[in-house]
Amino acid sequence: MRATEFLLATEKETPADAVVVSHQLMLRSGMIRKLAAGLYTWMPLGLRSLRKVEAIVREEMDRAGAQEVLMPAVQPAELWHESGRWFQYGGELLRLKDRHQRDFCVGPTHEEVITDLARNQLSSYKQLPINLYQIQTKFRDETRPRFGVMRSREFIMKDAYSFHLTADSLQQTYDRMHQAYTRIFERLGLDFRPVLADTGSIGGAHSHEFHVLAESGEDDIAFSNASDYAANVELAEALAPAGERPAASQELSVVDTGDATSVEDVAKQLNVGLEQVLKAIVVRGESEAEDAEDGEAGEPVVLFLRGDHSLNEIKAEKLPGVLSPLQFASEEDVQGIGGVPGSTGPRNLSARCYVDRSAAHMADFFCGANHAGQHHAGFNWQRDAELPEVVDLRNVEAGDPSPCGQGTLEIKRGIEVGHIFQLGRKYSEAMNAKVLDENGKAQTLMMGCYGIGVSRVVAAAIEQNHDDNGIIWPDAIAPFHVGIVPMNLHRSEAVQQATEQLYQDLQQAGFDVYVDDRDKKTSPGVKFADMELMGIPHRIVISDRGLEAGQVEYKQRRGGDAQDIAVDAIVDHLRQTIAC
Amino acid sequence: MRATEFLLATEKETPADAVVVSHQLMLRSGMIRKLAAGLYTWMPLGLRSLRKVEAIVREEMDRAGAQEVLMPAVQPAELWHESGRWFQYGGELLRLKDRHQRDFCVGPTHEEVITDLARNQLSSYKQLPINLYQIQTKFRDETRPRFGVMRSREFIMKDAYSFHLTADSLQQTYDRMHQAYTRIFERLGLDFRPVLADTGSIGGAHSHEFHVLAESGEDDIAFSNASDYAANVELAEALAPAGERPAASQELSVVDTGDATSVEDVAKQLNVGLEQVLKAIVVRGESEAEDAEDGEAGEPVVLFLRGDHSLNEIKAEKLPGVLSPLQFASEEDVQGIGGVPGSTGPRNLSARCYVDRSAAHMADFFCGANHAGQHHAGFNWQRDAELPEVVDLRNVEAGDPSPCGQGTLEIKRGIEVGHIFQLGRKYSEAMNAKVLDENGKAQTLMMGCYGIGVSRVVAAAIEQNHDDNGIIWPDAIAPFHVGIVPMNLHRSEAVQQATEQLYQDLQQAGFDVYVDDRDKKTSPGVKFADMELMGIPHRIVISDRGLEAGQVEYKQRRGGDAQDIAVDAIVDHLRQTIAC
């Protein structure tokens, strides 16, 4: 591609409303343009990378035996009523009415449509397992779309859905998808981790997320420093401290803590470490009345943690009797169970209680005295209050022992770009999708689903690969592999000829080549800067002086010095250097 | 692809609600499945052909210097207000509100979005000409979606938009697109014609439609039998009859025609040919009052045609004073201008009149007498009534002289699959899209647009290429080039080995291969029938008997006898035979 024939749209200024680096660089390099909140046009530069991601995803899905389909983006409400999600899904589902006033949505996902297809097309176990995928535009009506295509409203997903007779078969396809995803992100050239993930509201049993590691990631990922173990902090297990709980060595007493109510203020006031103070968090419970509806609130539940630990809400809302999603109790609720906001402790509390494994290991600790302005000191479980049920309630922290038993945990930030999921029978049961088994008996299908945020991958790749000058593309998804800057192009016939020849040769070798043939009004400095901003990984400068020595100058975007390479060796050099 | 690993979904029965052949065959062969009215899922078989069409379109657009972009499917209403189409577009525009109650639509086309992009990105004549395209899902909320993907609500379009400083530059890109479209439809292997087309409500000057010829087409196309001339009948000019109008030879008289009111009944009653009777059609006029709004009705207008000719409504509604879109006048309106429904004639009519070129050439003819139950005989223009303004008002017919001056016209039916259009400044003016010219003066952009109905092409290809047994794919867009039927596969090791070898060899030669490896419960007859239904253009049968002679059986789907071909010659044979 020649610059003069290309919709080059680089910008010097960082747009004011772009807060993350990928959003800034995608706008500045001219990859995308905003149409409206959360809606972006992919410009020629951006689309080139997007299509390369798509192609790799498609090749690996095909290789893994999945079959490509294309479902409508606009979906009838009836199916969403069947699954129960028409009302459950909330404001992110873009609902609409057609000209006949029938309800539809612009699909944020396709479980309902594919399950409908499956129940119509699949009748026998002989057709199983089957794995169908599509690469398609989806819509999620985010309240606050942000970060460019990282959290846009319209986006491109690869979504796959597999159907099975048995859990074993589902596990096999799940493993195959795990492998395919690993290949995909390896081929994309990204530093990534598959991590154990929470199955969330979508239900189902097993789940892994694939995260591209980047400081700007929204998720915390916990890794073992000595094994392959990786999990979203949401899910990572916090082990119980080793050994027995220390024996009580102090008398129980009451201390004045004035108007200190937060665990931090109390610890400060008492001049002790946070880890010596027990923290009580009161949340709303789920009604256990027989005629209660799902999600109806009941008696409050108290959660105890060590003062220096943070509550893991995902773990908490899975506990029996706790309302999900998690809601904190009101002051009246706290008083109703005998607690005092800011001074709630385990003694004489009339509520269901849980204690975190680490908090259960505390001895001679401080905790609320259920009396305003007072706390207990020298508190010990079992002696001063019954030990509540011990559970894993906290977020893991760097330095914790890894739950895999090997090494300690490190925590890094990641951007979720893929998610694989064993859905089980959630949708097939609701929508009555069955096949006949070997005995002629109807069996509800088992189901898995496997997503990749194709447009999000592009942004995540930039978050991971950039410097102050712009993007640094991995070869596999670079819009152009090679950029040529011809010096003095419009005056030197030698440079013209060498440029044209190299442009043709590199294209024939299978590379995507960009030649900055803009006239002399655009200085070489501007051309270099644009190429760095656009992230073209390999740069060649052609000049009269170089040509006189039979050489061109070669430089990698990622760093290292410029090298002079013989004109007739440069194509081979790139063949050996470029990984795609 | 092996049948046992493929979502094969052939059906014997023709679905009751499918009336056109392509819709029937796409359902029966398992290419598509209906999700809801006008919404279809592309199954693996169908998607293979769709993607091949897409790839050819993309290659030729790139070759013609167009740059690919991807605009959002969901578009903000603001832009449609700017162009004036938010209200003009009617019920086919799928309007919706997001969670913040802002108006959006699911785009049926992208003139507004691209013009917005152009006004933001283009500032100088140096960036011109530029041609941007996308291949994307669109939505048109048809009142009565029908014919499967031929007139679905959700569909895939390639839409391109070019921007220019001058009409000459627009014409150059338009010509280049004309050539690119010609290459595309040639490469797709379709019998097609570019035809002159009406520019319709979208406005602009020049326009060609690309039609795939098929008996089931919705459009009539007029061709010269002696030149390249082709035009949509909507547009094709009907020349004036040669020579002078014959002189009057009869006296004017009045004849009783009883209750005959249609021109057919009148001719029958009088026992004369339709071509001897003048037909009057009264339509609503446009108000000429100074304060009239666009589209406000005024005085009726009378159109005279020869009884055997049909009114061309497109031509009529372009006439000065005629309301567009065309509306027929009420009986009261007809009486108001001195006419009598069923007996309206030119004499003493107080209305603006137009006469078709052929009707103006009539002499001694019959026409309404503006008196119930009576017609005139021996009527002659200028003697018995003033000759109204002579215009081209009728549809051309087979046998008419071609307007190009060479040969006569033939009429065939076509399916519109492409449309190229010179929009001029319609959108750029409404949306203020300007660039600076060489003198630094702001100039409103000239614009062209170029569409291909990608999903429609697939259906049109089937309408043109099928027989009683199913689809007959052109090689270039066949889901599979070659189908292999191994006889007795599960018992003969020789057949197994030969099948596997040929499957690998053909794939290595670059062909898409389908092997029907279903077990013996599926008879060879069923396999042959499925392959014919799916339209696989080249079939190879591998049997023990053939292998003993070192041969396989080869047959083309399009017809011709089966041939025995040496096993080691078959790949080369296919290389020479398959055109893609």
Side-chain angles (χ1 to χ4, degrees), chain B residues 291-565:
Chain B
D291 56 349
E293 288 185 30
D294 248 20
E296 195 175 315
E299 296 301 307
V301 176
V302 187
L303 311 173
F304 292 110
L305 286 106
R306 229 168 67 181
D308 60 330
H309 285 155
S310 65
L311 175 68
N312 182 310
E313 299 191 9
I314 304 283
K315 292 176 181 174
E317 65 192 18
K318 285 184 187 156
L319 292 174
V322 171
L323 199 63
S324 172
L326 203 69
Q327 292 178 30
F328 294 101
S330 66
E331 297 208 348
E332 290 73 40
D333 284 343
V334 174
Q335 284 151 359
I337 55 167
V340 170
S343 293
T344 301
R347 203 169 158 104
N348 300 324
L349 217 48
S350 58
R352 182 166 193 167
C353 297
Y354 289 102
V355 62
D356 179 65
R357 288 167 173 173
S358 293
H361 208 258
M362 292 166 79
D364 296 335
F365 57 89
F366 297 87
C367 63
N370 294 328
H371 191 285
Q374 293 192 335
H375 277 72
H376 283 299
F379 202 99
N380 282 280
W381 292 116
Q382 286 169 323
R383 185 192 73 183
D384 304 322
E386 209 181 323
L387 181 67
E389 187 178 341
V390 180
V391 292
D392 175 17
L393 260 182
R394 69 173 178 96
N395 286 316
V396 294
E397 294 178 348
D400 279 347
S402 174
C404 69
Q406 293 175 56
T408 56
L409 290 179
E410 290 177 22
I411 304 217
K412 288 195 181 174
R413 296 191 77 80
I415 300 166
E416 186 193 334
V417 287
H419 201 162
I420 60 176
F421 227 98
Q422 296 193 15
L423 287 169
R425 299 195 173 91
K426 182 179 162 73
Y427 294 93
S428 47
E429 210 157 74
M431 297 178 65
N432 198 29
K434 296 183 177 181
V435 295
L436 297 183
D437 67 12
E438 285 152 307
N439 305 314
K441 210 185 137 201
Q443 300 279 7
T444 302
L445 287 162
M446 295 288 285
M447 193 170 160
C449 74
Y450 318 95
I452 290 181
V454 174
S455 41
R456 187 172 235 228
V457 162
V458 177
I462 296 173
E463 290 291 338
Q464 188 180 77
N465 299 279
H466 67 271
D467 63 16
D468 289 346
N469 297 329
I471 303 165
I472 307 173
W473 284 113
D475 290 334
I477 52 175
F480 301 101
H481 301 110
V482 186
I484 302 178
V485 182
M487 307 295 276
N488 212 5
L489 176 68
H490 300 272
R491 269 189 259 157
S492 162
E493 206 165 305
V495 170
Q496 268 170 48
Q497 281 180 5
T499 300
E500 190 56 30
Q501 187 64 49
L502 189 57
Y503 182 44
Q504 302 299 341
D505 291 349
L506 286 170
Q507 285 187 99
Q508 276 206 329
F511 298 123
D512 294 322
V513 188
Y514 172 83
V515 179
D516 200 337
D517 61 343
R518 283 179 290 175
D519 68 18
K520 64 180 176 189
K521 282 181 205 151
T522 306
S523 73
V526 168
K527 293 179 181 179
F528 291 153
D530 274 353
M531 241 175 228
E532 296 202 327
L533 180 56
M534 294 193 288
I536 301 178
H538 306 273
R539 186 185 80 188
I540 293 170
V541 180
I542 301 181
S543 65
D544 277 317
R545 211 171 61 184
L547 290 176
E548 278 161 27
Q551 292 178 326
V552 294
E553 184 200 280
Y554 166 75
K555 192 171 186 307
Q556 290 200 18
R557 173 69 183 88
R558 200 168 281 281
D561 295 329
Q563 298 170 256
D564 290 323
I565 294 187

Side-chain angles (χ1 to χ4, degrees), chain A residues 5-7 9 33 42 44 47 51 67-70 72-74 98-100 104 121 141 143 153-154, chain B residues 5-7 9 33 42 44 47 51 67-70 72-74 98-100 104 121 141 143 153-154:
Chain A
E5 293 172 356
F6 189 63
L7 181 49
R33 283 295 177 259
W42 288 81
L47 192 63
R51 293 276 187 242
Q67 298 180 59
E68 190 173 359
V69 298
L70 183 62
V74 175
D98 75 356
R99 67 190 299 157
H100 302 299
F104 287 83
Q121 290 305 312
D141 199 3
T143 324
R153 295 202 286 178
E154 197 172 310
Chain B
E5 294 172 356
F6 189 64
L7 180 50
R33 283 297 177 259
W42 288 81
L47 192 62
R51 293 274 186 244
Q67 297 181 60
E68 190 173 359
V69 297
L70 182 62
V74 174
D98 74 358
R99 66 190 300 158
H100 303 298
F104 287 84
Q121 290 305 312
D141 199 3
T143 323
R153 296 201 284 176
E154 197 172 311

Side-chain angles (χ1 to χ4, degrees), chain A residues 1 4-9 11 33-37 39-45 47 50-51 54 58 65-76 79 90-100 102 104 106 113 116-117 120-122 126-127 130 132-133 135-137 139 141-145 153-154 156 519 521, chain B residues 1 4-9 11 33-37 39-45 47 50-51 54 58 65-76 79 90-100 102 104 106 113 116-117 120-122 126-127 130 132-133 135-137 139 141-145 153-154 156 519 521:
Chain A
M1 184 62 67
T4 53
E5 293 172 356
F6 189 63
L7 181 49
L8 195 64
E11 285 176 359
R33 283 295 177 259
K34 181 173 166 180
L35 174 63
L39 300 178
Y40 291 88
T41 292
W42 288 81
M43 301 273 280
L45 185 72
L47 192 63
L50 184 71
R51 293 276 187 242
E54 270 186 37
R58 179 173 285 121
Q67 298 180 59
E68 190 173 359
V69 298
L70 183 62
M71 294 178 265
V74 175
Q75 308 177 10
L79 296 179
E92 287 186 8
L93 187 64
L94 186 63
R95 299 168 177 85
L96 57 96
K97 285 182 189 296
D98 75 356
R99 67 190 299 157
H100 302 299
R102 284 178 302 228
F104 287 83
V106 184
V113 176
D116 179 61
L117 188 77
N120 293 327
Q121 290 305 312
L122 305 177
K126 290 186 197 166
Q127 293 170 283
I130 189 167
L132 301 171
Y133 78 98
I135 296 178
Q136 195 222 28
T137 298
F139 202 97
D141 199 3
E142 303 270 356
T143 324
R144 221 159 52 85
R153 295 202 286 178
E154 197 172 310
I156 296 177
D519 65 19
K521 281 182 206 149
Chain B
M1 184 61 67
T4 54
E5 294 172 356
F6 189 64
L7 180 50
L8 196 65
E11 285 175 0
R33 283 297 177 259
K34 181 175 167 178
L35 173 64
L39 300 178
Y40 291 87
T41 291
W42 288 81
M43 301 273 280
L45 186 73
L47 192 62
L50 184 70
R51 293 274 186 244
E54 270 186 35
R58 180 172 286 122
Q67 297 181 60
E68 190 173 359
V69 297
L70 182 62
M71 293 177 265
V74 174
Q75 307 177 10
L79 296 179
E92 288 186 8
L93 187 64
L94 186 63
R95 296 168 180 86
L96 57 95
K97 283 181 191 294
D98 74 358
R99 66 190 300 158
H100 303 298
R102 284 180 299 229
F104 287 84
V106 185
V113 177
D116 179 59
L117 188 77
N120 293 325
Q121 290 305 312
L122 305 178
K126 290 186 197 165
Q127 293 170 284
I130 190 166
L132 301 171
Y133 79 99
I135 296 178
Q136 196 223 28
T137 298
F139 202 98
D141 199 3
E142 301 271 357
T143 323
R144 223 160 50 85
R153 296 201 284 176
E154 197 172 311
I156 296 177
D519 68 18
K521 282 181 205 151

